[in-house]
Amino acid sequence: MRRGVAWCQPPWDTDLGLSHVDKYTYSSEEYIKAGALLATGILNTSIRSENDTAKALLGDYVDNKSVPLKTGAVIGLGLAYAGSHRRDLAELLLPLVADDATSMEIASLAALAVGFIFVGSEDGESSSTILQTLMERDDKQLEEKWARFMGLGLALLYLSRLCVFLSL
């Protein structure tokens, strides 16, 4: 049993990793800062603590006007909380998916992050929001390369659920 527990824990020290990444969050270059936000999400993958470090560090950037910062934060949250099924993160990300004023890039990456977080859950709210967005977007927007990620986010919600459909 002890061996299995060690396998589930990430092979890195999150605090040490964050101390190395933190200096890049103060960069004046947007892409460097966005990379630091993504790295924060990666460092916090599978980490569950009361501090909720990833949400505290990335949550503020979800509403940032800068596209690189917003995408780094959104995907960082998706990676950090993959499989957690946290409703508070859906409340943070689903408005980005549903808002028509949001670019297809941001909406699709937010849908992908929701898919990561609720993977295999068949979450109704997430599914209906993504489907509604896909139905309401213009054909021109759906032809963008980013639309694929929205479909992938939807598919992740139903990952490993084929046996449920086959038993019907």
Side-chain angles (χ1 to χ4, degrees), residues 20-93:
H20 287 293
V21 170
D22 185 55
K23 62 184 169 191
Y24 297 107
T25 62
Y26 299 107
S27 174
S28 59
E29 295 287 328
E30 277 190 335
Y31 289 100
I32 292 173
K33 199 172 192 175
L37 297 176
L38 182 59
T40 300
I42 293 169
L43 282 167
N44 283 282
T45 301
S46 301
I47 304 296
R48 304 293 179 251
S49 70
E50 303 90 34
N51 297 339
D52 226 2
T53 308
K55 186 178 178 195
L57 295 173
L58 301 175
D60 292 340
Y61 290 97
V62 170
D63 294 324
N64 198 295
K65 291 185 188 294
S66 165
V67 172
L69 296 181
K70 189 179 282 198
T71 57
V74 165
I75 294 299
L77 284 169
L79 293 172
Y81 295 101
S84 67
H85 302 204
R86 289 203 24 197
R87 183 61 40 207
D88 60 325
L89 295 172
E91 292 170 3
L92 184 65
L93 295 172

